[in-house]
Amino acid sequence: MDIRTIGVIGAGTMGNGIAQVCATAGFPVVITDIAQAALDRAMKAIDTSLERMVNKQKMTAADKAATLARLTISTDMKALADCDLVIEAATENIGLKQKIFSSIDAVVKSDALIASNTSSISISKLAAATKRPSQFIGMHFFNPVPVMALVELIRGMQTSDETLAAVRAVVVKIGKAPIVVRNSPGFAVNRILVPMLNEACFALGEGVATPEDIDEGMKLGCNHPIGPLALCDMIGLDVMLDVMNVFYESFKDSKYRPAPLLVEMVEAGYLGRKTGRGFYTYDKK
Ligand code: NAD
């Protein structure tokens, strides 16, 4: 299927980034959200982001204007009726997403494809909430979307080869690199990244090295752009703990048990940058 028009459900952090990169690549994009305020904020955020590109001479003012002109916003899901591909990036809540997917069927064309940007919910389970499970796929973008090059394409058990091919073509057209991943907890990137970060917490808790030396070790020894403990602080220790708990419960394998130090830091309310204290301390301003 040839994708010409794209819809985005949810105008938050991820939704506005996804809308921006699709519109920049030339797709007409319809963004919907339940909150008009979120849509207004999204348009402002996209305008600011594009303006930054104009200032850096990565885009002309005319291209910026054309990109903005390709964007439409609405609080009514019916505005998605003509879209060939709808990418859902609403709040991470399974009940909410299942409700969106059961009502989207009645709105979009029968041959339209549906994708979810979920980070943690089973694509096979979400696909089952639609009447077109073979036309459903996971498109896992990374934050911030305009900067990050990767999109994980998650094949649910029901996803057809045609759906994968059409969505892969969209990812290439928006200038991102697709990787194909079978539906599985954490997909590929978080499945590997988060246990590595958890291991850094184990190492620190066992007194293997100081936080600074653990981070320096991984930066200089493995060429990581940021140390694992500093990255934990950026992600949020509560988010890290939730993901480890999902892995632990899903795989029933003790190798995914959360590090005791991570658990205790969350109990103490030391969640990282957002609370001003994690493995490092931050000035709240
Ligand atoms: P967010 O909270 O910034 O935005 C969610 C938006 O969804 C809000 O504007 C909210 O009003 C809207 N919304 C809620 N219910 C809705 C409905 N019924 N219809 C339409 N819109 C609705 O969240 P986010 O960080 O952008 O995350 C969105 C999705 O992307 C989640 O599934 C999340 O797991 C996934 N994700 C997030 C990141 C990240 O780093 N933030 C990375 C990859 C994937």
Side-chain angles (χ1 to χ4, degrees), residues 222-245:
C222 297
N223 254 353
H224 289 190
I226 178 172
L229 299 171
L231 184 54
C232 287
D233 281 356
M234 268 176 75
I235 294 172
L237 272 56
D238 51 338
V239 175
M240 283 272 311
L241 181 59
D242 284 348
V243 177
M244 285 312 298
N245 278 328

Side-chain angles (χ1 to χ4, degrees), residues 9-15 32-35 38 88-92 96-97 100 117-119 140-143:
I9 302 178
T13 310
M14 297 304 286
T32 68
D33 199 291
I34 40 167
E88 173 276 320
T91 313
E92 186 79 342
L96 183 141
K97 289 189 194 278
I100 291 174
N117 183 48
T118 180
S119 332
H140 188 222
F141 288 82
F142 289 77
N143 187 18

Side-chain angles (χ1 to χ4, degrees), residues 137-164:
I137 193 165
M139 281 180 94
H140 188 222
F141 288 82
F142 289 77
N143 187 18
V145 179
V147 175
M148 300 297 283
L150 181 71
V151 181
E152 285 184 296
L153 295 179
I154 323 297
R155 285 196 83 143
M157 192 168 256
Q158 313 95 317
T159 309
S160 71
D161 291 344
E162 292 75 19
T163 299
L164 175 65

Side-chain angles (χ1 to χ4, degrees), residues 89-273:
T91 313
E92 186 79 342
N93 173 303
I94 183 157
L96 183 141
K97 289 189 194 278
Q98 282 170 324
K99 230 169 104 190
I100 291 174
F101 293 131
S102 59
S103 43
I104 190 85
D105 266 319
V107 173
V108 296
K109 300 177 278 193
S110 61
D111 59 350
L113 307 181
I114 304 173
S116 176
N117 183 48
T118 180
S119 332
S120 64
I121 304 170
S122 161
I123 295 303
S124 303
K125 196 183 239 177
L126 292 177
T130 73
K131 291 191 188 74
R132 58 184 85 194
S134 67
Q135 290 159 243
F136 193 94
I137 193 165
M139 281 180 94
H140 188 222
F141 288 82
F142 289 77
N143 187 18
V145 179
V147 175
M148 300 297 283
L150 181 71
V151 181
E152 285 184 296
L153 295 179
I154 323 297
R155 285 196 83 143
M157 192 168 256
Q158 313 95 317
T159 309
S160 71
D161 291 344
E162 292 75 19
T163 299
L164 175 65
V167 170
R168 188 206 290 265
V170 171
V171 173
V172 171
K173 188 162 176 205
I174 62 177
K176 307 275 182 208
I179 63 165
V180 180
V181 182
R182 186 173 66 77
N183 182 46
S184 173
F187 311 135
V189 172
N190 287 336
R191 164 81 175 270
I192 297 163
L193 173 69
V194 181
M196 188 274 285
L197 301 180
N198 188 51
E199 195 60 30
C201 303
F202 267 114
L204 178 65
E206 291 168 17
V208 171
T210 62
E212 290 79 7
D213 281 358
I214 287 172
D215 279 353
E216 187 84 338
M218 294 305 286
K219 276 161 65 181
L220 301 185
C222 297
N223 254 353
H224 289 190
I226 178 172
L229 299 171
L231 184 54
C232 287
D233 281 356
M234 268 176 75
I235 294 172
L237 272 56
D238 51 338
V239 175
M240 283 272 311
L241 181 59
D242 284 348
V243 177
M244 285 312 298
N245 278 328
V246 168
F247 288 165
Y248 189 46
E249 282 153 27
S250 309
F251 294 110
K252 309 270 187 274
D253 186 332
S254 66
K255 77 175 179 180
Y256 294 110
R257 69 198 182 284
L261 176 62
L262 176 66
V263 174
E264 194 169 357
M265 291 199 42
V266 173
E267 286 169 352
Y270 300 154
L271 306 183
R273 280 176 187 254

